[in-house]
Amino acid sequence: GVPAAATLIKGIREGLATNTTMRIDVTVEYLDRYTPSPATDQTMSNMYAQKYRGRTPDLVIALGLAAIEFATRIRSRMWARVPIVFADAAQILDKTPSLKNVTGVVEALEIDRTLNNAMQLFPDTRRIVVINGASVLERTLQADFERTVRMLGRDIQVESLSGQSFEQVAERLTTLGDDTVGYFLSFHSDNSDRSFVPADVMQALAPMTRRPIFGNGGGFFGAGILGGWFIDYGQLGREVSTQALRVLGGEPINVIPV
């Protein structure tokens, strides 16, 4: 997995390890470059049904919107009564009323606060170039970013590099003007379907521009990001584990707030 995911899972394991009354076995499954579709859902649910034949988990922890939606969709085929604890960005809040037997922890990206800080540090900024990949998740992040900019009401242009190749992104960064700052969202894949580790991408791209780059991933600080309101993925994982232990301890999931 990528560093953020590894840190998040490590935090979950550390939190679960604080329990002294239950033996908890943790198995990690990666969706990789999963693209939602009925055919893909059927194939993957068949695979998990075969892999876990005769074993039903007591809890599913879903990390990220794609994993949450996948886990809830396959309930009609398997694990119908298994509760789900999630970790995801704020867009899941719009969906929680329709999710049954589900609770979790929302990770706030703090895009608005990061943008405000960027504008305070660089008040001549008129354009923000968004460095972002081409996956389903990254398209969702791009939409959230643009919505946040509109809500802020600032007179700035947003130029998205989402959906381009890594080489095209790198080339654009070499030409950023003095009125421009970069904003790194994510980069798991580009338009040629190549896979990347976002932290490695950030480290490779940062030297290609003389303009500052902001973002929200704490793991990117020191890899080229100047600053931002960072997510502490280890702490997020520990918060998820707290919810998980409450569910495993028998507390009704409907009384555990998101």
Side-chain angles (χ1 to χ4, degrees), residues 81-114:
R81 298 182 180 180
V82 176
I84 296 173
V85 173
F86 68 78
D88 191 61
Q91 63 260 27
I92 191 63
L93 289 176
D94 297 333
K95 302 174 182 293
T96 50
S98 64
L99 300 178
K100 305 302 181 184
N101 208 16
V102 172
T103 190
V105 180
V106 171
E107 54 177 285
L109 289 182
E110 305 284 13
I111 292 172
D112 53 345
R113 301 175 89 173
T114 299

Side-chain angles (χ1 to χ4, degrees), residues 186-221:
S186 181
F187 209 101
H188 288 283
S189 64
D190 69 0
N191 64 358
S192 60
D193 209 27
R194 290 178 295 178
S195 295
F196 296 87
V197 175
D200 292 346
V201 172
M202 184 67 254
Q203 198 160 23
L205 292 177
M208 298 183 181
T209 182
R210 57 187 179 81
R211 299 301 297 159
I213 300 175
F214 293 83
N216 300 107
F220 303 142
F221 190 64

